[in-house]
Structure formats: structure tokens, C-alpha cells
Amino acid sequence: MRDEDKNAFTEKFFTSTDGLKLYARDYRAASRDINRLPVICLPGLTRNSRDFHELALLLSQDAASPRRVVALDYRGRGMSERDANTTNYNLAVECADVIAACAALGIDRAIFIGTSRGGLILHLLAGMKPELLAGIVFNDIGPVIEPVGLMAIRDYLNRDRKPLSWSDAVDILKENYAAAFPVLAVNDWQNMAQAIYREQNGVPVADCDPDIAEQLKTIDFSKPLPDLWAQFESLRAMPLLVIRGENSDLLSPQTVDEMAKRHPDMVQIMARGQGHAPLLHLGDIPDTIRMFIGKLS
């Protein structure tokens, strides 16, 4: 990260309802406008607020309509405290943490961007506290998760090979994802590695509680995965943008089609040359997000 980028956000800590110290990045708009809704970014299963850095810069420093952007670290990820009770790494608890974050940061209504796990949390949030939601962006996620995609995530997170250096971390990412992400440049892979790993004793390590990855080993893939169509129904009246990676193995075109049937006003975009989950600052994705959120303020 460039030194000037570090000044673009404020580090905020707050406390969950069960006493954990949790973390968020708060990107204040370049010029304040109290009439613009903030954007809250929710990352994937083992990911963190750093995934949204480039997009947060684009939105908070937009010349025409800058707005506040908040990116969260769930419990056990990034700068947030790890939970001794690992059963708390679940959607309901993490949804409650999002609600606690909004209260602590003085946000009573926002536009939410949910990548993967973040989108699943938003399905629950629509039922638990719908008044928070002014609009939703799903990044490569929907009510149905394809087993092959989830198995790939399980295998990647529980792989035996661990990076020995930052260049090794980039190589591992390319080995696993280059085929699904042909559009990524050298700096994109480097930024992805910096977002996923943190340095410990001179070696990159995954920046999350390893018990989160262990949970995936308990899934019985011989049985159908539960879906969230019932929860999706509560989103029908909310503005919705769905981004699907062209090469995604987690969100199928069939699921997106069914989402569009159930939510006729849904906007959708394909992230060309990307898999699960798309980087949101590439291609025409930022302009699409800008146009979508611009209609909601």
C-alpha cells in the first residue's frame, strides 16, 4: 500500500455484543455530504477489509459524488479479535456483529456490498434489521452455493503448501486461480496476496483464525447444501445489483437467472475474465457500482 493510501481511512475498533474487539476501516468522503448514503463492505469467508481498499478509494474520493465507505473485518479475521468459541463463526453471529458495527459507527442506513460470505450475511440482515438496507450489491453470491465452488475453497484453505515468502504467496495464488482470473495483472496478484496474508516472523500467513477453514471439512457434500431462497424473498423490494464472475464456480448462471425472475428490478453485470470472487475495482465494475449507488441517495 502506498503511504498516501494509509491516510485515506481511519482505523476504528468497536465491541461486539459478546465482548470481542472488532475492527473496521472508515474511508471518509473527500468532501462531506450528509445527504449521501454510506457504503458498507462485507468480505468473504476468510477475507478482510483490505479486499475493498481500491474500490473504497474510488468511491470515497470520487470527484463528482464522494461518499463514506466502511469495510469490516469479521471476528477472527484481519485486525478483529479471534473467538475462543469457534462455533460463533457462523452467519447469525456475524450478522449481529454487522449490526453492532453500524451502531458503533453511527450508521442507521447504508448501501451494502457483500462479497461471497458477506452476501450470505446480507440475506440474514434483511430479515433481522431491514431498515439498515438502502440497497445491496452481491459480489458473486446468491441464495444457492454450488458445491464444486465451495469444495474448491475448502481445498485451497486447507492445502498443505504454505508460502515461505511474498513471491511464493503470489505463486500459490496463481497456481490456484490464474485460469479463472486471466485479466489480472502482476500488481493485482500482489495486492491480492497482501490482502489475504499478513507477515508473521518474516513469513506470510493467512490473516484469519485457522478454525474457520477447519469448519469446511465438516460439510457433508453428499447431501444438498441448504439454500437461502426464503431469505432472498425479503429482498424483492430492495434495490439489488448482482455481479457474477464470468468463470465463477460458486454462483451459477442458472441461479442468477432465477434471482432475476424473483426480483424483476435486479441489475446484473458480468465480471469478464474473473472467477470467484471478482475484484471490484477492475474493468467496468466501478462505474456500474457508481451508477447503482448514485440512484439510491
Side-chain angles (χ1 to χ4, degrees), residues 66-191:
R67 68 181 65 229
R68 182 185 185 188
V69 180
V70 173
L72 302 184
D73 285 357
Y74 309 131
R75 60 179 62 207
R77 290 83 154 180
M79 298 285 287
S80 287
E81 189 177 356
R82 297 185 178 186
D83 197 327
N85 180 4
T86 58
T87 62
N88 284 335
Y89 294 135
N90 66 68
L91 293 177
V93 171
E94 290 162 13
C95 183
D97 290 344
V98 172
I99 295 172
C102 290
L105 298 172
I107 297 172
D108 56 16
R109 191 164 172 80
I111 302 160
F112 285 79
I113 300 176
T115 293
S116 196
R117 176 84 160 197
L120 300 180
I121 290 171
L122 289 174
H123 281 78
L124 271 62
L125 187 60
M128 293 175 65
K129 203 168 180 65
E131 63 270 23
L132 274 176
L133 301 168
I136 291 175
V137 178
F138 283 154
N139 182 22
D140 212 57
I141 194 65
V144 176
I145 295 176
E146 296 302 314
V148 65
L150 191 56
M151 284 189 284
I153 293 173
R154 176 202 62 189
D155 294 344
Y156 171 76
L157 293 177
N158 291 286
R159 67 194 180 283
D160 291 329
R161 183 184 171 194
K162 309 296 182 185
L164 302 177
S165 65
W166 284 106
S167 61
D168 196 25
V170 170
D171 289 341
I172 290 173
L173 289 174
K174 287 182 177 180
E175 288 170 10
N176 285 273
Y177 297 117
F181 287 87
V183 299
L184 299 196
V186 172
N187 64 307
D188 294 321
W189 291 110
Q190 293 171 342
N191 288 339

Side-chain angles (χ1 to χ4, degrees), residues 163-271:
L164 302 177
S165 65
W166 284 106
S167 61
D168 196 25
V170 170
D171 289 341
I172 290 173
L173 289 174
K174 287 182 177 180
E175 288 170 10
N176 285 273
Y177 297 117
F181 287 87
V183 299
L184 299 196
V186 172
N187 64 307
D188 294 321
W189 291 110
Q190 293 171 342
N191 288 339
M192 188 187 294
Q194 292 285 341
I196 293 174
Y197 298 98
R198 62 181 170 83
E199 192 164 306
Q200 181 175 297
N201 299 322
V203 177
V205 296
D207 200 6
C208 66
D209 190 331
D211 282 324
I212 298 169
E214 282 289 326
Q215 286 183 344
L216 295 180
K217 294 180 180 179
T218 66
I219 298 174
D220 183 356
F221 285 99
S222 68
K223 299 177 181 178
L225 296 175
D227 65 56
L228 293 174
W229 283 121
Q231 290 78 6
F232 183 79
E233 291 298 318
S234 63
L235 305 177
R236 295 180 71 173
M238 295 183 188
L240 175 63
L241 167 63
V242 175
I243 301 165
R244 180 182 179 272
E246 181 180 21
N247 304 317
S248 175
D249 56 5
L250 197 84
L251 177 63
S252 72
Q254 293 77 19
T255 296
V256 176
D257 289 344
E258 182 62 25
M259 293 167 73
K261 289 178 183 177
R262 300 188 186 208
H263 193 308
D265 296 326
M266 185 182 93
V267 180
Q268 56 181 295
I269 181 178
M270 180 80 73

